[in-house]
Amino acid sequence: MKRFQNKVAESRYALPLMAMYALGIWLLGGLVEGQWYPQFAMLMLSTYLMVELNNTNALLHMYSRMVSCTFLALTSMAVFLFPSVKVAICMLSVIMFCTLIFHTYQDKESPGLTYFAFLCLGIASCVFIQIVFFVPFIWLMMAFYLMAFSSKMLWASLLGLITPYWFTAGIAFYLDKQDLLITHFKSLISFQPIFDYSYLTINQQITFVFVLLMALISIIHYLWKNRLDRIRTRMIYHFFIMFDLLIILFIILQPQHFSVLFGLMIVCTSPLIAHFIAHTQSRLSNITFYGLLLITLLLTALNLWIYSSTF
C-alpha cells in the first residue's frame, strides 16, 4: 500500500504545485516591492537544472520530481535569502557545476567538461571568493567518487577557475579599481572568531538546525539503504554527502558566511532528502514526512512573518 509520502513523491502534479507555492511565497515575501526579479529568475533556472540533474543521473530510480520539489520547498522556507543576488548566483553556479562535473564519471579525458564545470565555480568565486576553499576537496571527490581526476583534468579545472578573472582584472585595471580586486582576494585570509553565532538571527539558527536535521536523517538513511542504487548513482550521492558535510562544517566554524553557505547546503541536501522521501515506505518514515512537511510550513511562515515585518 502506498503511503501519503509515496503518492506525493510520484505525483506528476507535485512540481507544478510547488512552483506555484514558491511563487506565492516570493510574492508575499516582497518579490514585487523589492524588485527581486533577477534572483527569482535564477531560482527558476536553478530548479530546472535540478530537474535535469535528476533526469540525466537517475538520482531516483522511479518517476519523481522530489529533487526539484524539495529544493523549491527549502529555498522558499529561507525567506531571508530572497534579496541576495550573491546567494542566487552561487546556488545557480554550484548546480551548473554539479550538472557538468557528473558527466565526467569514470572519464579522465574530459578536460572540456571539467573546464566549464570549474568555470561555474570561478564565476561563483567572483562574488564569494571563499568557495575556493572547497576546490581541493572537490579534486579529491573527483578522484575517489567520480574516478575522473588526472593531471589534464587538474589543469583544466585551474584554467576554468581563473578564466573569469581575466575579464574582471581587465575591467578593474581599465577603471583604475585594482584595490577592489586586491580587497577581494585579501578576504580569503579574513577569519572571524569561530563559533561566533552573533551573526545569525534566531530564526536563521532554527532554520539551519532544521535543515541540518534533514541532512543527517537523509545521510544516515542513504548510507544504510543505498544498495538498491547503481554504483554510479551511489558515487554521486556520496559526492553530495561529502560536499554537504564540508559546507555544514564551514557554517559551524565561520557563521559570518552563513547566507551563501546555507544556500549551498540546500542545494546538496535537496537530493538527499528527496531520496529519503521517494524510497522509504514504512509507517515511521511516513510520520517523519508529515513532521518535516509541517515544520517546513511553520518555518516558512515564521521567516516570512519576521522578514515582512522588517521590510
Side-chain angles (χ1 to χ4, degrees), residues 159-285:
L159 187 61
L161 279 172
I162 66 174
T163 295
Y165 292 100
W166 295 352
F167 300 97
T168 55
I171 294 171
F173 277 97
Y174 177 75
L175 298 176
D176 196 24
K177 298 287 185 179
Q178 300 93 324
D179 55 323
L180 294 178
L181 202 59
I182 295 171
T183 302
H184 179 66
F185 285 107
K186 282 179 67 176
S187 63
L188 269 175
I189 56 174
S190 174
F191 297 101
Q192 299 296 329
I194 62 174
F195 312 125
D196 183 2
Y197 301 109
S198 61
Y199 292 94
L200 308 183
T201 61
I202 185 63
N203 60 302
Q204 288 176 329
Q205 294 180 36
I206 295 172
T207 306
F208 168 67
V209 170
F210 175 60
V211 177
L212 175 61
L213 177 64
M214 294 179 77
L216 294 177
I217 290 173
S218 53
I219 288 172
I220 292 170
H221 162 261
Y222 190 81
L223 295 178
W224 184 32
K225 294 285 189 179
N226 64 10
R227 61 183 180 275
L228 297 177
D229 287 331
R230 296 180 304 163
I231 294 176
R232 182 178 186 274
T233 306
R234 291 183 207 172
M235 294 299 101
I236 290 174
Y237 271 107
H238 279 94
F239 191 102
F240 277 127
I241 289 171
M242 185 56 65
F243 205 172
D244 209 5
L245 292 175
L246 288 169
I247 293 167
I248 292 167
L249 179 62
F250 200 162
I251 292 175
I252 292 172
L253 294 177
Q254 289 290 289
Q256 59 169 320
H257 303 303
F258 173 77
S259 293
V260 174
L261 292 173
F262 188 65
L264 302 186
M265 183 181 173
I266 288 175
V267 171
C268 293
T269 302
S270 296
L272 296 169
I273 197 65
H275 190 280
F276 170 79
I277 294 170
H279 295 311
T280 53
Q281 298 178 333
S282 68
R283 183 170 177 271
L284 178 60
S285 68

Side-chain angles (χ1 to χ4, degrees), residues 277-305:
I277 294 170
H279 295 311
T280 53
Q281 298 178 333
S282 68
R283 183 170 177 271
L284 178 60
S285 68
N286 198 50
I287 293 173
T288 303
F289 174 72
Y290 276 117
L292 294 177
L293 181 60
L294 177 61
I295 296 172
T296 299
L297 292 173
L298 290 175
L299 277 177
T300 303
L302 173 65
N303 288 325
L304 193 61
W305 174 68

